[in-house]
Amino acid sequence: MRSKQFLVIGVGRFGGALARSLYRQGHEVVVIDQNDEKVERIMDEVTHALIADSTDEDVLREIGVGNFDTVVVSIGADFEASIMTTVASKNLGARHLVAKATSETAAAVLRRIGADLVVRPEHDMGLRLAQQLTTPELVDAFNLGEDHSVIEVEANGRLTGSLSELRLPNRFSVQVIAVNRDGNVVVSPSADFEIVRGDNLVLIGNNEAMERFRSFLSE
Ligand code: ATP
């Protein structure tokens, strides 16, 4: 994977964890925070850490906010600062901007002023945990646009046999796109592919279909 350049603005718990993790994965990570203690704490774990106020356009211009692959604005408590930083970054050419929001209203505003993606860590994690707790077989899930998702489930007794016998597209409108058996991944498995207990299936479908499929799985 090509190493990417990230700018993380605000290194609280969320921004800090994100920045450290991206850096450990081999990416170039520049962080900005107005709090000198936070900057000192993270300094050795990212490419470059800077004490600055991100609502100051000159700071963003100097750092070249438009040159990063992704800019993450992870300021939550000070909503005004989050808005000003987002608007200024987009105006100065930020290509892909992810903003952290602490409420639904804040998320709507951030989307409106140009954030390309808005995350609500507590809220999003709550939804994810609810899914995991109600479908123990669920390994992973992510949204594909507003209406569709891709999920990975571990096959239990309800999900064994050949794909043609299981007829998942007919019964649930979900499609198996890959099967992972002990690390060996079969992409677009054929109709006679036999699913055995413990296989990890990667499925795609719309959210309602996924919901029906997941309830069937955990019945
Ligand atoms: P978390 O839950 O991730 O810890 P939080 O929402 O509790 O975050 P915030 O108050 O949102 O904490 O701040 C996140 C970080 O953003 C803090 O480290 C704070 O110093 C920094 N920050 C806030 N405003 C600015 C600003 N204008 N410029 C630079 N950094 C800022």
Side-chain angles (χ1 to χ4, degrees):
M1 187 178 53
R2 182 178 79 86
S3 151
K4 290 190 171 173
Q5 297 184 311
F6 293 93
L7 174 63
V8 179
I9 303 174
V11 283
R13 289 162 302 173
F14 179 76
L18 176 76
R20 288 182 173 93
S21 171
L22 290 168
Y23 183 70
R24 277 199 301 267
Q25 287 176 39
H27 298 290
E28 199 172 306
V29 182
V30 177
V31 307
I32 302 180
D33 202 296
Q34 64 186 5
N35 180 317
D36 54 348
E37 279 171 23
K38 290 205 172 148
V39 170
E40 246 164 61
R41 222 176 294 147
I42 203 166
M43 217 155 85
D44 297 334
E45 298 170 85
V46 294
T47 314
H48 188 53
L50 190 87
I51 306 165
D53 179 355
S54 61
T55 62
D56 181 348
E57 281 207 19
D58 291 339
V59 167
L60 296 173
R61 194 174 292 116
E62 242 163 71
I63 206 158
V65 76
N67 298 330
F68 292 86
D69 292 298
T70 295
V71 176
V72 183
V73 180
S74 58
I75 303 172
D78 187 347
F79 187 42
E80 198 178 317
S82 159
I83 290 183
M84 285 169 67
T85 304
T86 300
V87 170
S89 299
K90 284 309 281 186
N91 281 344
L92 292 168
R95 283 176 262 167
H96 180 232
L97 187 143
V98 181
K100 177 185 107 158
T102 51
S103 71
E104 200 176 336
T105 317
V109 172
L110 288 164
R111 262 184 227 110
R112 179 67 63 84
I113 60 172
D116 300 288
L117 174 70
V118 177
V119 293
R120 291 166 61 196
E122 288 87 355
H123 169 267
D124 298 348
M125 193 60 211
L127 295 186
R128 208 181 170 105
L129 184 60
Q131 283 191 336
Q132 280 175 359
L133 295 176
T134 51
T135 315
E137 300 80 9
L138 189 71
V139 180
D140 207 354
F142 71 88
N143 293 331
L144 204 62
E146 293 274 299
D147 303 324
H148 292 78
S149 45
V150 172
I151 68 169
E152 181 174 348
V153 293
E154 185 178 329
N156 59 13
R158 303 186 68 88
L159 209 58
T160 50
S162 71
L163 286 173
S164 58
E165 281 160 7
L166 284 167
R167 295 174 39 249
L168 299 179
N170 303 55
R171 288 160 69 204
F172 303 103
S173 302
V174 300
Q175 192 81 42
V176 177
I177 52 178
V179 178
N180 180 352
R181 181 173 296 168
D182 301 325
N184 296 319
V185 179
V186 179
V187 178
S188 295
S190 59
D192 58 2
F193 189 94
E194 288 276 339
I195 304 290
V196 297
R197 210 183 260 260
D199 279 350
N200 275 14
L201 273 61
V202 182
L203 301 118
I204 187 166
N206 78 30
N207 295 338
E208 274 171 37
M210 283 302 185
E211 207 54 52
R212 281 199 302 278
F213 174 72
R214 293 200 303 111
S215 7
F216 154 80
L217 206 61
S218 51
E219 262 168 24

